[in-house]
Amino acid sequence: MVCLGNICRSPLAEGILRQKITERNLEVEVHSSGTSNYHISESADSRMISTARRHGIDISNHKARQFVVNDFDYYDKIYVMDGQNFRNVSRLARNDEDRSKVQLIMNVVEPASHFEVPDPYYSGNDGFELVFKMLDEACEKIADNIETKKR
Ligand code: 4NP
């Protein structure tokens, strides 16, 4: 899960998907990062920690890290939140295989829609709740897809 700062959207996406994976007894590693170096080693935004907690998800132990090229080797799928993240990650891709791993997360719900998960950093509480709703829907679909593949 990748966003810009790795303190709002992607830490929540990581927390939501990890919970769904655990509930379904699937074995998948989920992590998150940001394309920028703005907030390296910081905790998630306190407003996002509260939003997650309201929905029964604990992201209080999160520490922000920056996306690195080696992540292409370790991860099978790289979900990004918006077009800027898509361009930033794709710029680091070394080949078509790397590029093929990068996907806008909301395209999982609505293929080819190119909907973006809006950056809530400068928004009010509504923005955080909206991000939760969007990511919960997307992560449910991702967990469904992983489960179907396993069967
Ligand atoms: P995120 O939100 O990409 O969802 O973690 C942001 C957090 C911080 C900044 C931008 C977006 N910032 O510019 O500091």
Side-chain angles (χ1 to χ4, degrees):
M1 299 297 185
V2 178
C3 62
L4 177 62
N6 193 217
I7 56 168
C8 292
R9 293 165 292 178
S10 60
L12 181 68
E14 175 186 342
I16 294 173
L17 184 59
R18 186 172 293 135
Q19 189 179 63
K20 291 183 190 295
I21 292 295
T22 306
E23 282 166 3
R24 295 170 189 232
N25 286 320
L26 299 169
E27 276 181 40
V28 177
E29 254 188 71
V30 188
H31 293 286
S32 67
S33 64
T35 58
S36 76
N37 60 4
Y38 305 156
H39 297 280
I40 291 175
S41 296
E42 289 178 25
S43 299
D45 187 298
S46 58
R47 297 164 295 176
M48 197 48 105
I49 295 176
S50 308
T51 303
R53 188 175 294 131
R54 270 200 304 281
H55 293 278
I57 294 165
D58 181 11
I59 58 167
S60 61
N61 288 327
H62 174 76
K63 289 278 170 279
R65 58 177 284 269
Q66 187 172 20
F67 182 86
V68 293
V69 172
N70 283 355
D71 288 336
F72 283 116
D73 298 322
Y74 193 74
Y75 298 100
D76 301 313
K77 275 291 205 183
I78 298 163
Y79 293 107
V80 296
M81 304 293 137
D82 62 28
Q84 183 191 22
N85 309 149
F86 189 90
R87 287 187 295 279
N88 287 337
V89 173
S90 299
R91 204 176 294 133
L92 295 173
R94 300 154 300 184
N95 50 46
D96 286 346
E97 191 189 344
D98 287 355
R99 258 183 293 281
S100 71
K101 294 182 176 184
V102 189
Q103 188 178 359
L104 270 175
I105 191 165
M106 293 315 291
N107 277 359
V108 170
V109 177
E110 194 71 54
S113 64
H114 305 305
F115 288 142
E116 300 191 327
V117 182
D119 182 350
Y121 194 61
Y122 297 104
S123 78
N125 272 340
D126 288 359
F128 285 84
E129 199 51 42
L130 172 68
V131 167
F132 180 86
K133 271 189 82 168
M134 294 179 82
L135 290 177
D136 189 54
E137 191 179 8
C139 290
E140 186 72 20
K141 198 76 195 274
I142 293 168
D144 284 349
N145 292 344
I146 295 169
E147 202 164 24
T148 309
K149 236 191 225 162
K150 196 182 124 189
R151 273 196 231 116

